[in-house]
Amino acid sequence: MVDGLRLAVSTQGDPNAPTILLVHGYPDSSRIWDDVAAQLVDRFHVVRYDVRGCGDSDAPADKADYRLDQLAGDLAAVVRAVSRDRPVHLVAHDWGSIQAWHAVTDPEYAELFASYTSISGPCLDHIAAWMRGQLRRGRLRPVLRQLVHSWYIGFFQLPVLPELSWRLPLLRRKLHANARDARNGIQLYRVNMLGTLRERGQRRTTVPVQQIALTRDAYVTPALLPAAQPWCASLWRRELPFRHWAPREHPGVIAEFVTEFVEHIGGAPASRGLRGARIDRPSRHFAGKLVLITGAGSGIGRATALAFAEQGADILAVDIDQDSATATATTARQYVVDAHAFVADVSDHAGMQALAAKVRAEHGVPDIVMANAGIGMSGPFLATEEADWQRIIGVNLLGVVHTLRAFAPLLVERDQGGQLVVTASAAAFLPWPTLAAYSTTKAAVFSLAQSLRTELAEHGIGVSAICPGIVATNITATTRFVGQDAQAQHRSQERTTALYKRRRFGPEKVADEVLRAVRDNRAVVPVTPEAHVAWFGSRVSPGIVRAVGRWVRPPE
Ligand SMILES: NC(=O)c1ccc[n+]([C@@H]2O[C@H](COP(=O)([O-])OP(=O)(O)OC[C@H]3O[C@@H](n4cnc5c(N)ncnc54)[C@H](O)[C@@H]3O)[C@@H](O)[C@H]2O)c1
């Protein structure tokens, strides 16, 4: 009983294990945590309750009694009832998260909490301070953008209409809401929003906080999350490419993030993801990410592996050539990251499946997989032989297919999003004499990347096709020139290598674009100026691009 109200509290698991307290939002009840709780209960004492006015808890008679001070008081009373001697780990979503912020930033309650995981619900005083700061600096746009996302807050201030809208069964079904909970919860908006935003609260906390940023949340945008930074003594932020109701829609990964955080606060070493998530220290952009790259022993693959390592990612360098893969991993470690070399032939389906199983067992699921290994082939189509086609399709097309088929299911199963990158080529959309075989494979993987992007979007997995253009790497020294004897072939390789060198466009610049593409989830990434021109031309005037292909001949 709190304030004369009976709150419905349920407990699961061993009471001697660390306690996790789950607080629900609006218009939910503690049922939203059903699947998360089921995954936590083996290791923790899991407690949840229905917030006043919701589920099986009583509703206050006075509609004004939904103030944050009262809600935080309820929360503290539940902690004192279920865990008298030890602080609890708080996990809260939506309005639950707003009231949990109110509790952890109240000096009277702070010692009740060992940690706090906040999902999609900011501290209203932090937001008020953030908005004032933006406006002081003349930055109107981010404030307006958030206000547009917060339209419903204005709607809930209207009389009668919000109550009427909850009579619609369709709306209640869509939001899994019960009519009484939805009606009562409107008071949260009416008694808390405007008043709090006017106040100038200084709400600091020493409780370690983990924010789970849902990047597709239409109500609480991730842009708001940094508002908490000035007020937290220690803060972690982890992203998930999901929408607002992630606790219901993706319970596995929410339980996993909570477990990792709680165990780390309890003294366990930080998981890879958590290491990169600490944001109250200067951090590198890909810290805590695991990146796997095929063809990482040379050229674009090697440069990209080192660029990711420089930005803090752990590296798995895969190549058919053991020495060069090892050299890449060794150099990557100079950036103080974990890096390992693997030998694999991407054209070998079974070998790639075995690689994926080994990687998963030894290092976990990569966050970013770049199917990059490839070979060159030049010469007239009429001079190509069956074996030439088997070889180039085996490496450049099936190699990408085998890589993606081995790793994409792991990313989907893990349910934390991620990025797949395919190294295609400007040759995918630029018809060029003597490159028929090479272009065919690159057009195929380009198309594969586009299709896969649409297929995997619902899992929060992005797919990018990199189309470099002419880049000085070792590829020209190993390219097969069909229809030539060994001597002529050697001369062609030397001539093309010299030409590519004169172009002065190194693989490091491609690597920079790959990192940008992953950060922004770009679909098609032309890199060199000629690749940009070819991509643009192929869209606005394919006829001109075909004509250019007829006029200009690459050296043989
Ligand atoms: N360099 C360019 O101008 C250019 C332009 C467009 C696209 N690309 C593409 O970029 C990718 C990387 O090429 P690069 O220029 O860095 O060449 P590179 O020759 O320097 O590097 C390719 C790497 O792939 C490895 N490899 C080759 N076959 C393999 C196999 N079967 N299994 C595993 N590893 C294998 C090689 O050992 C080498 O380390 C290729 O897909 C290539 O087609 C290159």
Side-chain angles (χ1 to χ4, degrees):
M1 293 283 280
V2 194
D3 277 354
L5 296 177
R6 202 182 42 87
L7 296 182
V9 181
S10 73
T11 63
Q12 293 166 275
D14 176 4
N16 295 317
T19 298
I20 291 183
L21 174 61
L22 305 167
V23 189
H24 70 85
Y26 174 76
D28 301 306
S29 70
S30 58
R31 297 293 309 267
I32 192 178
W33 296 114
D34 281 355
D35 294 337
V36 174
Q39 303 200 34
L40 293 172
V41 77
D42 284 347
R43 289 190 212 192
F44 301 107
H45 177 223
V46 181
V47 179
R48 2 180 203 159
Y49 70 101
D50 291 324
V51 171
R52 57 171 67 196
C54 300
D56 294 328
S57 289
D58 291 345
D62 186 343
K63 287 186 175 165
D65 285 346
Y66 285 91
R67 287 193 318 277
L68 279 175
D69 286 339
Q70 292 160 308
L71 297 165
D74 291 354
L75 205 163
V78 172
V79 176
R80 287 178 177 134
V82 297
S83 183
R84 191 160 283 282
D85 314 321
R86 280 179 311 160
V88 305
H89 297 273
L90 188 56
V91 178
H93 175 245
D94 185 84
W95 262 99
S97 177
I98 295 175
Q99 52 197 276
W101 273 113
H102 209 72
V104 298
T105 55
D106 186 329
E108 193 188 331
Y109 303 140
E111 66 186 23
L112 299 176
F113 307 107
S115 77
Y116 171 35
T117 295
S118 160
I119 310 167
S120 272
C123 170
L124 296 185
D125 290 289
H126 296 169
I127 296 303
W130 175 81
M131 285 192 173
R132 283 194 298 271
Q134 299 291 321
L135 294 175
R136 244 195 329 271
R137 287 184 214 104
R139 295 196 202 133
L140 198 58
R141 195 184 283 187
V143 175
L144 288 178
R145 203 178 303 137
Q146 182 52 43
L147 289 178
V148 169
H149 281 280
S150 307
W151 60 269
Y152 55 95
I153 296 176
F155 175 72
F156 284 133
Q157 308 305 322
L158 299 175
V160 188
L161 213 56
E163 279 84 350
L164 285 180
S165 67
W166 283 120
R167 293 203 178 167
L168 297 172
L170 194 70
L171 183 66
R172 290 206 305 274
R173 247 199 324 275
K174 186 168 164 44
L175 296 179
H176 298 255
N178 150 306
R180 168 189 177 257
D181 298 355
R183 236 183 5 257
N184 287 339
I186 294 170
Q187 302 312 319
L188 295 168
Y189 294 88
R190 291 191 175 145
V191 303
N192 289 304
M193 296 310 283
L194 300 177
T196 311
L197 290 179
R198 245 183 276 120
E199 278 170 25
R200 284 173 172 264
Q202 296 272 321
R203 302 199 75 94
R204 296 181 192 283
T205 184
T206 52
V207 175
V209 178
Q210 164 174 242
Q211 291 176 309
I212 297 184
L214 302 176
T215 57
R216 296 183 184 173
D217 192 329
Y219 307 108
V220 186
T221 64
L224 286 180
L225 299 182
Q229 238 149 290
W231 311 100
C232 297
S234 52
L235 183 62
W236 287 253
R237 186 176 305 137
R238 301 185 72 175
E239 280 191 0
L240 284 174
F242 301 135
R243 292 175 303 193
H244 187 73
W245 273 280
R248 181 159 43 230
E249 292 168 358
H250 301 276
V253 62
I254 298 290
E256 189 181 323
F257 279 16
V258 168
T259 302
E260 288 181 7
F261 188 56
V262 167
E263 292 191 336
H264 178 52
I265 296 302
S271 64
R272 176 182 290 116
L274 261 185
R275 261 188 283 135
R278 185 79 190 250
I279 57 157
D280 48 338
R281 297 180 184 152
S283 79
R284 298 185 283 178
H285 190 84
F286 287 101
K289 300 289 181 200
L290 180 63
V291 179
L292 180 139
I293 301 179
T294 66
S298 169
I300 294 169
R302 176 181 162 84
T304 306
L306 299 183
F308 271 120
E310 190 178 1
Q311 284 304 316
D314 292 339
I315 302 297
L316 305 176
V318 180
D319 205 287
I320 199 167
D321 180 67
Q322 163 95 63
D323 292 347
S324 63
T326 303
T328 298
T330 306
T331 310
R333 275 186 225 113
Q334 291 175 1
Y335 294 105
V336 202
V337 296
D338 202 18
H340 300 271
F342 293 89
V343 180
D345 177 352
V346 292
S347 67
D348 170 14
H349 165 252
M352 291 307 285
Q353 291 289 328
L355 173 73
K358 191 170 157 70
V359 162
R360 183 199 195 154
E362 292 176 4
H363 304 283
V365 178
D367 301 282
I368 298 156
V369 175
M370 181 172 179
N372 165 77
I375 53 173
M377 187 168 289
S378 184
F381 170 75
L382 297 182
T384 54
E385 293 171 12
E386 170 66 10
D388 295 325
W389 283 95
Q390 295 290 356
R391 174 151 168 67
I392 196 154
I393 287 176
V395 178
N396 286 11
L397 172 54
L398 292 179
V400 172
V401 171
H402 296 154
T403 305
L404 298 180
R405 285 195 62 236
F407 288 96
L410 303 187
L411 271 73
V412 170
E413 185 199 32
R414 185 184 62 157
D415 197 23
Q416 292 181 24
Q419 193 79 17
L420 304 174
V421 181
V422 170
T423 311
S425 167
F429 38 77
L430 182 62
W432 206 254
T434 76
L435 284 186
Y438 182 76
S439 300
T440 301
T441 60
K442 291 301 180 180
V445 295
F446 180 84
S447 180
L448 168 62
Q450 306 311 303
S451 305
L452 203 55
R453 187 177 167 89
T454 60
E455 187 175 326
L456 296 183
E458 64 168 309
H459 300 286
I461 298 171
V463 184
S464 302
I466 312 295
C467 306
I470 296 175
V471 182
T473 67
N474 202 41
I475 198 166
T476 43
T478 56
T479 289
R480 169 158 160 69
F481 288 79
V482 299
Q484 297 184 359
D485 62 26
Q487 247 180 356
Q489 188 150 183
H490 187 63
R491 277 199 304 278
S492 293
Q493 287 170 341
E494 285 188 340
R495 231 184 359 252
T496 316
T497 301
L499 182 82
Y500 271 51
K501 270 205 183 116
R502 279 205 298 281
R503 172 72 185 77
R504 288 180 176 279
F505 198 102
E508 298 75 22
K509 294 187 193 164
V510 183
D512 289 346
E513 285 301 305
V514 175
L515 265 63
R516 209 165 299 146
V518 171
R519 211 172 44 215
D520 303 339
N521 185 19
R522 287 164 61 194
V524 177
V525 188
V527 181
T528 60
E530 67 272 12
H532 276 282
V533 171
W535 174 234
F536 181 73
S538 68
R539 284 186 299 165
V540 299
S541 180
I544 294 185
V545 173
R546 276 195 296 273
V548 170
R550 279 201 303 275
W551 293 329
V552 185
R553 287 186 165 262
E556 306 218 339

